[in-house]
Amino acid sequence: NAGVTQTPKFQVLKTGQSMTLQCAQDMNHNSMYWYRQDPGMGLRLIYYSASEGTTDKGEVPNGYNVSRLNKREFSLRLESAAPSQTSVYFCASRDRKYGYTFGSGTRLTVV
Amino acid sequence: DQQVKQNSPSLSVQEGRISILNCDYTNSMFDYFLWYKKYPAEGPTFLISISSIKDKNEDGRFTVFLNKSAKHLSLHIVPSQPGDSAVYFCAASPLGTGTASKLTFGTGTRLQVTL
């Protein structure tokens, strides 16, 4: 029972490089989310997907794109990484009744 | 505009004593509140929740209290144990928005339980 799996766990990018953070859940949840965690800022919502085929912006979407490939997978793409995107990124999924199940996070450093 | 606030960035409590973590919110549309616990290098994990129709919810050593008029909730841990040392996030959501209900998180409180 893996829950929510994120890859990679760590990544260092140069400014301007692109990359995709992968997320998959095996709980048959409809809703999936991407958050970033920064010191003193808590967790802030980047994008979410209420169901397969739909995506919506959250609180801090600028500089990111997402794809809900199927019910299981929800990826986050940085097209041109900036130092301000240095953060820890968490993917989560949600069932109808309870709160979120989070992945273990991706620690991204942009230099 | 921080809609969910945890004004204490850190808290240190002796083992066996009570830990009280506080959270304030500003959005009157929030109807469902949760606490998450986070260890280093791990994702947050669900701890306990409460809906606005209640003012208290208890689960073992953990109790959450909700004061809707004050827009305040608190998490009590009794007795505190060293394994409780972690960052605790308060989160809130409006009910009735379907399965896409988005959680708004506070900034977190780092709890350290000392021996």
Side-chain angles (χ1 to χ4, degrees):
Chain A
N1 55 341
V4 177
T5 303
Q6 289 184 238
T7 56
K9 291 191 183 301
F10 302 95
Q11 183 72 51
V12 178
L13 288 179
K14 293 182 179 178
T15 298
Q17 285 186 317
S18 62
M19 79 161 294
T20 300
L21 281 65
Q22 306 287 352
C23 175
Q25 53 98 3
D26 61 3
M27 297 170 287
N28 202 36
H29 289 168
N30 285 321
S31 302
M32 297 185 72
Y33 307 80
W34 276 105
Y35 282 84
R36 58 179 288 175
Q37 184 195 2
D38 302 292
M41 303 292 288
L43 291 112
R44 293 181 293 169
L45 181 65
I46 305 171
Y47 269 94
Y48 68 101
S49 170
S51 61
E52 183 180 351
T54 69
T55 61
D56 284 286
K57 294 179 181 179
E59 183 185 353
V60 288
N62 292 345
Y64 304 95
N65 284 302
V66 290
S67 295
R68 184 74 183 269
L69 304 171
N70 47 54
K71 192 170 186 179
R72 288 187 65 248
E73 298 171 291
F74 188 38
S75 62
L76 178 72
R77 182 160 178 85
L78 288 71
E79 290 291 351
S80 178
S84 61
Q85 293 178 304
T86 294
S87 187
V88 181
Y89 291 85
F90 290 100
C91 177
S93 68
R94 183 178 189 270
D95 64 21
R96 295 189 69 88
K97 187 174 181 181
Y98 299 109
Y100 298 180
T101 300
F102 283 87
S104 58
T106 296
R107 185 174 293 276
L108 175 67
T109 302
V110 183
V111 297
Chain B
D1 177 26
Q2 192 76 25
Q3 296 187 64
V4 179
K5 301 177 184 179
Q6 294 176 256
N7 291 320
S8 297
S10 63
L11 175 67
S12 183
V13 173
Q14 259 189 330
E15 181 181 9
R17 300 286 187 105
I18 184 171
S19 295
I20 300 176
L21 292 84
N22 293 304
C23 177
D24 297 293
Y25 62 96
T26 58
N27 189 338
S28 57
M29 297 300 291
F30 288 149
D31 266 10
Y32 189 60
F33 305 90
L34 308 92
W35 284 94
Y36 282 82
K37 178 179 180 179
K38 185 183 179 304
Y39 292 118
E42 295 183 12
T45 55
F46 171 75
L47 189 58
I48 193 169
S49 64
I50 188 168
S51 71
S52 60
I53 60 173
K54 295 184 176 182
D55 56 16
K56 176 183 174 181
N57 188 27
E58 194 171 351
D59 183 2
R61 297 185 296 113
F62 302 93
T63 303
V64 56
F65 295 92
L66 175 62
N67 182 334
K68 278 199 73 177
S69 61
K71 293 190 176 68
H72 177 83
L73 65 155
S74 60
L75 174 68
H76 293 208
I77 306 174
V78 184
S80 301
Q81 298 175 353
D84 296 330
S85 297
V87 177
Y88 290 78
F89 289 100
C90 170
S93 169
L95 283 176
T97 54
T99 59
S101 292
K102 304 183 296 292
L103 291 182
T104 300
F105 285 85
T107 52
T109 296
R110 182 177 302 276
L111 172 66
Q112 183 174 10
V113 180
T114 58
L115 297 174

